[in-house]
Amino acid sequence: MKYNHTMIVFKKELKDIFRDKRTWIASVLIPVLIFPLMFFLMGLGKANLDKTMQSDIPIYIESTQENQLTEYLSRSSGLIVVDSASPYEALEKGEIKVIIQIDEDFQAKLEEEKPGGIKLIFDEISNESSMAMSVVDRAIASFGEEILKDRLEALGINPEVLQPTSVSYEAYVPEGQESKGDGVSVMLLTFLLPFLLMLYPVVGGMPAAIDLGAGEKERMSLEPLLSTGANRMSILLGKYLTILLASIIGVITSLSGILIATRFNTDMLPKGVKISPVSMLIMIGISLTMALMLSGIMLSISIFAKSSKEAGTYLSPITFLLMIPTYLTMFMDVRTIPNKLFFVPLLNAVLLMKEVLVDIINPVHIAITFSFTAVLVVLALLFTKYIFNKESAIFRS
Amino acid sequence: MIEIKGLKKVFKEVEAVKGINLSVEKKEVLGLLGENGAGKTTTLRMLATMLRPTEGTALINGKDIVADANAVRQEIGILFGGEIGLYDRLTARENIEYFAMLNNMEKEEMNRRIEYLAEILEMGDYMDRRVGQFSKGMKQKVAIARCIVHNPPVMLFDEPTSGLDVAAARVVQQFIRSCKEEGKTIIFSSHTMAEVEKLCDRVAIIHKGRIVEAGDLQSLKVKYGKDVEDLFVELVGEKHEI
């Protein structure tokens, strides 16, 4: 009989929240669209930048005397020397990317075989200017190398004499594993995915939680509901399951959003990243326990609140609370996480996700994280039950 | 029938109901008359098992509100005043069905009952429309149908006409009268004398958590030699004011 009532409440609440536009917007539309949109816009900006960098970079050379460098730079591909009456204004406007100040005695020093002074002036606010500066820097370096080579040859020295080492780089990939791609994409992935899996249970479940607790109070339907033949716990369980489902839908839709986004814009996410089935299982497990816990907490807070507005005010800080561990761990090295950090609730969930994403399967970390989270889930549920049985919370006015 | 035995409710420091003894016979309509804050709503909430009594108990058709709360809830229907408390995104029928199912009605019986209620309350035209756009009177009818759908033998009304316009209030009063005709046991709380005089057999005057007088309207009039309104003012007004 109890089970029956739970199902009746669950079905009714589902019907009710999915007739609500807010549910569709928060649980489905936003999560599905936000990433494709974000990636699309970021990609647009990046494409623009790439395009600018691919065309010749306008530079201005400030020098009073003729010198070899000016001549070298005018011949360099990728750079174009332009003339300007007011070069600094042009730099500020972005018409010129870099100004090269060549010392008056540059050519003289070059001939004397002493270092000649060059100053590169760029606009620190402009990304394009910063990137252009490194291009110019490289061009000047290769000019220097050419001079160096000539001088060594004049002395009858093989340039290789001055290069005692030759370094190459290779990331270590343990046997049976695949490369995770470059460092930046690993960081992006190990930040973004835990971030979503922590946050979306709340984003997806919150409108439902507000409506099913405080909303019921606000429209004065709680009293009639509590006076029906249904037991209070079955009503609570039905409501809890509805919020849980909305949370899970939020997570699923946001992940689908990322999948869609990577189809649109393959540059933004590491290509060919494979998450092993074990890692996938652990991540789903963590996200599910988060949803189990947060659904309970959101429902209790919502039941305590007098109105939807009040519930919204109490609930929104949860989002920020969950962001803290994801930002805190952003620059943490996954290889050397101290064991004790896995005893910190929420932080351990994020850390574990980061580990399994790079295929570090540490049974101790998994055991600690899951047992601690399980305790939190139980506490959250007991708290929800306590609040729902507390007359001063239900009839708070 | 309803037997209230030493019912008491304390909220933190406030003693809202201070030990009430009262009984309502089967098919009787009792008016619970009192000012705002006298303890009417708290008493009715305890009878509806929404609040747990601090002391004492009550029997509703022989079932104990403390020991057997689930069974008690199947015996009662409540209509509380103020806002009507419907789900705007559900249709009238869905609103009523929800409560019917939570009161353990079989599907067939439920459908028959809803058809019947839709007919007598003249709701046929809008049973399958969402209640969000309904007028107050239409919503009131849905709320009435919802509280009576499981045909409970006992009805509790807490200021059911407060905040309603004249037409909607008439719908409610008509409904209470029909409950009376069907032989239901009714407790009806109000702070308007006229309503109590119109609908009730017997009246209990509650003041600061205590019953200060109870009896049928006629004998009270004879006993005190004045009408109920003056009596009420006398009992809760000067005499008991500190």
Side-chain angles (χ1 to χ4, degrees):
Chain A
M1 194 60 84
K2 270 186 199 167
Y3 173 74
N4 193 5
H5 287 153
T6 301
M7 281 317 287
I8 293 167
V9 174
F10 179 61
K11 277 186 198 157
K12 176 262 162 189
E13 297 292 10
L14 269 190
K15 194 192 282 175
D16 202 347
I17 65 166
F18 278 103
R19 281 184 188 173
D20 188 355
K21 277 198 281 296
R22 282 173 302 178
T23 312
W24 285 100
I25 294 170
S27 302
V28 183
L29 209 63
I30 291 178
V32 167
L33 287 183
I34 190 117
F35 285 99
L37 203 68
M38 206 165 87
F39 281 27
F40 174 71
L41 292 176
M42 276 163 70
L44 220 61
K46 196 164 168 280
N48 235 334
L49 194 67
D50 287 350
K51 212 175 119 198
T52 318
M53 296 325 290
Q54 269 162 16
S55 54
D56 288 347
I57 298 165
I59 55 171
Y60 178 83
I61 298 175
E62 225 178 72
S63 78
T64 44
Q65 291 179 349
E66 266 188 33
N67 59 64
Q68 262 175 283
L69 181 61
T70 308
E71 193 203 339
Y72 180 85
L73 290 177
S74 345
R75 278 190 286 114
S76 293
S77 61
L79 297 176
I80 179 161
V81 181
V82 296
D83 205 14
S84 170
S86 46
Y88 290 90
E89 266 177 42
L91 178 69
E92 215 180 328
K93 282 185 192 154
E95 291 162 6
I96 289 173
K97 301 298 173 196
V98 184
I99 295 172
I100 303 162
Q101 264 181 6
I102 299 175
D103 282 1
E104 216 174 301
D105 56 356
F106 182 83
Q107 189 60 29
K109 281 195 167 168
L110 205 64
E111 276 153 23
E112 284 171 38
E113 301 198 346
K114 282 180 181 164
I118 305 160
K119 192 190 264 176
L120 301 184
I121 299 166
F122 70 106
D123 180 5
E124 59 180 357
I125 295 167
S126 154
N127 279 338
E128 286 178 5
S129 179
S130 305
M131 285 167 80
M133 191 183 64
S134 52
V135 175
V136 174
D137 214 6
R138 276 200 300 276
I140 294 173
S142 61
F143 167 75
E145 262 170 43
E146 251 174 51
I147 301 283
L148 196 65
K149 230 165 92 189
D150 291 348
R151 287 177 186 173
L152 289 172
E153 263 166 26
L155 290 171
I157 299 169
N158 184 347
E160 280 189 7
V161 171
L162 287 181
Q163 201 193 355
T165 53
S166 162
V167 183
S168 67
Y169 305 87
E170 187 191 315
Y172 168 67
V173 178
E175 228 171 287
Q177 289 186 14
E178 280 172 60
S179 165
K180 306 291 170 213
D182 64 278
V184 179
S185 49
V186 169
M187 209 179 89
L188 190 69
L189 186 75
T190 55
F191 170 73
L192 199 62
L193 224 49
F195 184 83
L196 282 176
L197 292 175
M198 293 291 282
L199 226 56
Y200 266 90
V202 178
V203 176
M206 199 185 287
I210 291 175
D211 197 52
L212 269 57
E216 194 100 54
K217 260 191 194 175
E218 201 170 68
R219 69 177 92 87
M220 312 283 281
S221 51
L222 187 62
E223 291 187 16
L225 181 63
L226 292 179
S227 72
T228 61
N231 158 308
R232 209 172 273 194
M233 278 306 111
S234 358
I235 295 174
L236 183 66
L237 194 59
K239 286 181 176 292
Y240 174 75
L241 291 176
T242 314
I243 297 167
L244 182 64
L245 186 66
S247 289
I248 294 171
I249 291 173
V251 174
I252 293 171
T253 47
S254 70
L255 291 180
S256 332
I258 292 199
L259 273 180
I260 296 168
T262 51
R263 306 245 163 224
F264 272 131
N265 193 332
T266 42
D267 291 349
M268 298 307 291
L269 267 194
K271 263 175 260 177
V273 166
K274 288 205 180 75
I275 301 170
S276 72
V278 182
S279 304
M280 193 84 89
L281 213 64
I282 291 171
M283 304 243 293
I284 292 171
I286 293 173
S287 195
L288 197 64
T289 50
M290 284 294 130
L292 281 166
M293 176 179 78
L294 293 166
S295 302
I297 292 174
M298 287 193 291
L299 182 56
S300 347
I301 293 174
S302 178
I303 288 167
F304 176 77
K306 278 178 281 195
S307 64
S308 304
K309 224 174 171 180
E310 194 184 330
T313 312
Y314 294 155
L315 286 174
S316 40
I318 293 187
T319 329
F320 294 104
L321 194 75
L322 291 170
M323 280 184 196
I324 296 171
T326 55
Y327 281 114
L328 217 57
T329 55
M330 198 166 170
F331 297 106
M332 239 179 235
D333 181 7
V334 281
R335 292 269 181 216
T336 54
I337 303 169
N339 277 344
K340 61 182 180 204
L341 286 186
F342 283 87
F343 288 98
V344 184
L346 300 181
L347 188 69
N348 56 11
V350 178
L351 288 175
L352 189 64
M353 286 195 267
K354 276 180 180 296
E355 277 196 349
V356 300
L357 267 172
V358 292
D359 285 336
I360 300 174
I361 306 291
N362 183 327
V364 178
H365 292 174
I366 296 170
I368 299 173
T369 305
F370 273 97
S371 25
F372 263 67
T373 318
V375 171
L376 283 183
V377 170
V378 172
L379 285 178
L381 293 181
L382 288 176
F383 180 66
T384 317
K385 190 179 161 193
Y386 166 77
I387 289 285
F388 206 57
N389 276 320
K390 202 171 156 61
E391 292 170 354
S392 59
I394 289 189
F395 297 104
R396 188 167 157 263
S397 57
Chain B
M1 68 175 285
I2 304 167
E3 285 170 89
I4 303 174
K5 300 171 181 173
L7 205 57
K8 191 186 224 181
K9 183 69 191 178
V10 182
F11 296 113
K12 282 179 189 152
E13 273 108 59
V14 187
E15 210 177 346
V17 176
K18 300 169 180 166
I20 284 181
N21 291 295
L22 201 64
S23 78
V24 187
E25 294 303 316
K26 202 170 183 228
K27 299 186 178 183
E28 189 180 35
V29 182
L30 175 89
L32 198 57
L33 201 57
E35 296 172 311
N36 289 332
K40 302 186 299 277
T41 301
T42 304
T43 305
L44 289 174
R45 276 180 177 167
M46 283 192 281
L47 292 180
T49 78
M50 278 185 252
L51 292 176
R52 266 183 94 83
T54 312
E55 261 175 50
T57 187
L59 298 180
I60 291 181
N61 284 348
K63 285 158 188 155
D64 192 301
I65 59 165
V66 179
D68 210 0
N70 281 344
V72 167
R73 284 199 295 271
Q74 312 231 359
E75 298 287 320
I76 58 168
I78 68 164
L79 189 64
F80 281 15
E83 284 296 316
I84 295 148
L86 298 174
Y87 301 101
D88 282 354
R89 291 184 295 268
L90 299 188
T91 65
R93 187 185 304 280
E94 284 164 345
N95 264 289
I96 301 166
E97 276 178 351
Y98 184 39
F99 277 61
M101 287 190 285
L102 289 177
N103 280 311
N104 301 329
M105 287 183 88
E106 295 294 329
K107 203 170 171 73
E108 246 176 65
E109 186 198 351
M110 172 177 87
N111 289 339
R112 226 179 305 128
R113 179 79 177 157
I114 289 176
E115 283 316 308
Y116 167 74
L117 289 170
E119 199 187 310
I120 60 160
L121 288 165
E122 294 167 354
M123 300 191 295
D125 298 342
Y126 51 82
M127 278 304 279
D128 294 306
R129 275 165 48 195
R130 294 190 193 177
V131 301
Q133 306 299 319
F134 285 13
S135 72
K136 221 158 184 185
M138 287 154 84
K139 281 186 180 176
Q140 192 64 52
K141 285 184 177 179
V142 179
I144 287 171
R146 182 179 72 176
C147 75
I148 195 96
V149 65
H150 55 305
N151 206 4
V154 174
M155 289 297 301
L156 306 174
F157 296 94
D158 186 28
E159 307 208 353
T161 55
S162 82
L164 295 184
D165 58 33
V166 182
R170 281 182 78 94
V171 171
V172 173
Q173 285 164 0
Q174 189 52 47
F175 169 62
I176 295 171
R177 226 171 263 129
S178 74
C179 284
K180 188 177 171 179
E181 279 158 21
E182 283 175 33
K184 293 189 189 301
T185 309
I186 297 168
I187 295 187
F188 166 84
S189 90
S190 180
H191 59 263
T192 35
M193 310 320 129
E195 211 169 53
V196 171
E197 278 194 285
K198 235 194 286 183
L199 298 164
C200 300
D201 304 320
R202 213 152 62 88
V203 61
I205 296 172
I206 184 168
H207 184 60
K208 292 186 176 165
R210 282 185 222 284
I211 301 287
V212 291
E213 184 60 85
D216 64 82
L217 289 169
Q218 207 49 48
S219 58
L220 283 180
K221 270 183 200 167
V222 172
K223 185 174 165 190
Y224 290 91
K226 49 184 78 161
D227 66 23
V228 190
E229 178 135 19
D230 292 337
L231 175 63
F232 177 67
V233 171
E234 186 188 312
L235 286 174
V236 308
E238 291 94 68
K239 197 172 120 191
H240 289 264
E241 206 70 57
I242 301 158

